[in-house]
Amino acid sequence: MTARLPGTWPLALAVAGCWGAVWLLTQVAVDPPLGVGGTVGAGLCLSLVAILGFPTALRGPRRADRPTRIARGNGRRDDEAIAVIGRPLNYLRAGLTADTAERTVTLLAPLFGGDVTVAVADPDTVLASVGDEAAALGSWLDGSASIAPRGAVRSALRVRGDVVGGLAVHRRGDPVDRRQVDSVARLLSLQLEIAELDRRAQLAADARLDALRAQINPHFLFNTLNTIASKSRTDPEEARQLLVRLADFFRYAIRGQGQFAEFNQEYFFVRTYLALEQARFGDRLRVQYDIDPQVLAVQVPALIIQPLVENAVKHGLSASQNGGTVGLRARVHPMSRTAWIEVRDDGVGMDPPRLARVLAADRHEDSRGGGVGLANIHERLDALFGERYEMNVRSKPGRGTTVALKVPLP
């Protein structure tokens, strides 16, 4: 099976169009036609422009993320100006800390204009402040002083309705509009709420990964130990090598090093697993690898590929009398910054109703030895990437199953 990676054909068409235009201009439109040197030179120049400009065309025009001073006047103008500073405040998605608070007051002070003081606090203390009235404003914001500087305004920062901090602004001479401060506080609260959602999503992804590490198929372990016991009588050296591979398998499976790993580490893990299964199935299990060397160093979600390969062996080939072939193919696409991974088998396959049940498999079914459900993998990828990944499953009875993943590079 040949798979075509998406995203390269527009560039190929662009280069072909450049050479076609050069040929028309140098060989048809002029008399006499230009020489070979001039034609090739013009074609190379246009092709270079097309190649260098292609990634920029994919990204679209850049826009400067310059903060804009908050406009004074009616509420509608204030809201429009506040929307402009939304993107520079994305760093708040790391949470409300002393560092992010310092960056916030530094950014907001010039936006309010004039001789202004800005302070940001969490529920316990002032995290950062800037301006001549920083001490007085901070004491009022954290509650240690009950008297505010004249004309000062403060507004609460909230996440899911709970107060997580406060913003206070004071400007000498021209008082600050409370609506402006409240609007900025709402924007800060929105960023902090997104940070909280990100944190919850990360906790969920970590929990799924921990569960995946703990979910070593007992049937796989039992069958592998039986194979090693059998080999110890007929081929002690092979039995020793299998024990080393089994130790490598468990060492990698239970290690805790984050959500991502280099593809070459995942590739080693898959090869270790398949070597253990080949010792058990013998000639009934054949393996094909088609790995682009460029993909070896990229980061991919940890413990995603091996469960797909395990499913291919367990559900695709073990039920087939003659066994079959499991294939792993991987590519990296630098322009779209994605990794493309495909696991396929030529085993028994599935009809559409059974495929639908597998895609919706629940944890109870997985715990009975059905392998790691595709729904579990889908949920983990969704927690890591949102809508920025693709997982396609194709299966046909008697022809096998193919699972293709396309994930963004972190």
Side-chain angles (χ1 to χ4, degrees):
M1 182 181 64
T2 301
R4 191 181 301 276
L5 294 177
T8 55
W9 63 267
L11 177 58
L13 291 178
V15 173
C18 290
W19 281 98
V22 168
W23 180 79
L24 289 175
L25 292 175
T26 61
Q27 305 298 315
V28 177
V30 298
D31 190 17
L34 292 183
V36 174
T39 301
V40 172
L44 290 176
C45 290
L46 285 179
S47 298
L48 185 60
V49 170
I51 293 172
L52 293 178
F54 183 65
T56 304
L58 284 178
R59 290 192 299 265
R62 294 176 178 264
R63 297 182 178 178
D65 293 337
R66 295 190 299 269
T68 300
R69 177 173 175 171
I70 297 179
R72 302 182 195 175
N74 59 49
R76 180 176 181 181
R77 290 179 60 196
D78 293 339
D79 291 342
E80 290 173 351
I82 288 168
V84 177
I85 69 173
R87 292 180 67 186
L89 288 173
N90 280 344
Y91 58 81
L92 278 173
R93 294 180 66 172
L96 187 59
T97 64
D99 178 62
T100 58
E102 183 69 31
R103 296 177 65 180
T104 299
V105 297
T106 303
L107 175 67
L108 293 181
L111 297 180
F112 285 102
D115 190 1
V116 69
T117 300
V118 181
V120 171
D122 63 14
D124 300 320
T125 184
V126 175
L127 297 174
S129 59
V130 62
D132 295 337
E133 300 288 338
L137 192 66
S139 298
W140 176 61
L141 181 58
D142 66 12
S144 58
S146 59
I147 300 177
R150 184 180 179 86
V153 176
R154 65 183 175 187
S155 186
L157 304 179
R158 301 177 182 273
V159 173
R160 304 174 68 88
D162 298 327
V163 176
V164 297
L167 167 69
V169 182
H170 173 263
R171 184 168 54 216
R172 287 183 179 177
D174 188 8
V176 181
D177 189 337
R178 173 171 291 277
R179 292 175 302 175
Q180 294 177 349
V181 179
D182 289 341
S183 296
V184 172
R186 286 196 297 270
L187 179 61
L188 300 180
S189 298
L190 176 61
Q191 296 291 337
L192 294 174
E193 188 149 347
I194 294 174
E196 176 65 15
L197 293 175
D198 287 345
R199 187 185 70 85
R200 290 171 180 262
Q202 183 64 42
L203 289 175
D206 290 343
R208 291 188 183 96
L209 181 57
D210 290 341
L212 192 60
R213 287 193 173 104
Q215 186 178 343
I216 302 298
N217 193 324
H219 296 287
F220 163 71
L221 177 59
F222 177 77
N223 291 330
T224 301
L225 290 176
N226 273 344
T227 301
I228 293 174
S230 175
K231 295 286 185 181
S232 65
R233 294 190 296 269
T234 60
D235 193 340
E237 178 59 25
E238 183 180 359
R240 188 190 68 82
Q241 293 177 1
L242 290 175
L243 278 174
V244 172
R245 289 183 180 274
L246 184 62
D248 290 339
F249 177 86
F250 276 93
R251 186 180 300 112
Y252 188 86
I254 64 177
R255 72 169 192 165
Q257 296 190 9
Q259 292 287 344
F260 293 91
E262 286 189 355
F263 181 87
N264 59 7
Q265 296 175 333
E266 292 292 297
Y267 183 35
F268 173 79
F269 186 49
V270 168
R271 292 178 70 95
T272 300
Y273 166 76
L274 286 174
L276 293 170
E277 290 289 50
Q278 282 184 305
R280 179 164 69 99
F281 285 100
D283 294 338
R284 292 181 57 214
L285 174 57
R286 297 172 292 278
V287 180
Q288 292 180 349
Y289 298 107
D290 182 6
I291 309 298
D292 182 354
Q294 295 184 73
V295 81
L296 293 176
V298 305
Q299 297 281 320
V300 296
L303 298 184
I304 284 292
I305 305 172
Q306 186 272 335
L308 297 177
V309 174
E310 181 178 345
N311 283 344
V313 173
K314 184 174 182 61
H315 300 298
L317 303 183
S318 62
S320 174
Q321 183 176 0
N322 298 321
T325 302
V326 171
L328 172 63
R329 191 178 190 208
R331 297 288 186 270
V332 63
H333 197 283
M335 290 184 178
S336 60
R337 290 195 53 78
T338 56
W340 181 82
I341 302 166
E342 180 185 87
V343 176
R344 67 183 185 278
D345 67 75
D346 56 4
V348 296
M350 294 175 283
D351 56 25
R354 185 186 175 197
L355 177 59
R357 290 194 300 270
V358 169
L359 292 175
D362 58 19
R363 303 294 187 275
H364 180 62
E365 181 177 345
D366 294 340
S367 66
R368 294 199 304 265
V372 178
L374 292 177
N376 188 311
I377 296 174
H378 169 78
E379 288 174 4
R380 181 164 166 242
L381 291 174
D382 190 64
L384 290 174
F385 302 117
E387 298 181 353
R388 298 182 299 120
Y389 80 97
E390 294 180 10
M391 184 173 75
N392 298 312
V393 184
R394 305 186 304 274
S395 188
K396 188 174 182 180
R399 300 289 297 274
T401 302
T402 299
V403 181
L405 294 178
K406 185 171 74 173
V407 297
L409 303 182

